[in-house]
Amino acid sequence: MRRKQSQEDPRTRPERSGRAGKASVLVVDDEDHILKLYEEELTEEGYQVTAVTSGEQALRVAETESPDVVVLDIKLKDQNGLEILGGLRKLDGNRPIILNSAYSVYKNDFQSWLADAYLVKSSNLDELKKKIRELVSI
């Protein structure tokens, strides 16, 4: 769904599209089976997916490849995802970011409010796919 630009909403952004007309999604998670599942499911949806396992990689990819949306886990081995969220916002304050965690407790952390959405992980990715569609157009 394409979002309309509005001066009242500073988070509203123009339609984003990745290379070759596909929206690009950066998935950040330190669990290989989660990365594989998300990469497979989102690729089937028509997205260009880049999957990384660390916060350092996420920031590097976000800077060099400029993905249209980021799906970010909070509990990473090398760094807290909320710290990465802040770094991603500094790189591009308009890039949509979805926090995707197995723990709902972080939803109340004020740092998580920098994200466009907070989803609790599930084996059913329908909610995640819907949220990505809301934030970018393919």
Side-chain angles (χ1 to χ4, degrees), residues 97-117:
I97 301 171
I98 301 169
L99 286 176
N100 189 47
S101 177
Y103 307 95
S104 61
V105 67
Y106 292 105
K107 193 171 193 173
N108 296 323
D109 188 312
F110 75 94
Q111 288 178 299
S112 70
W113 300 349
L114 288 174
D116 295 274

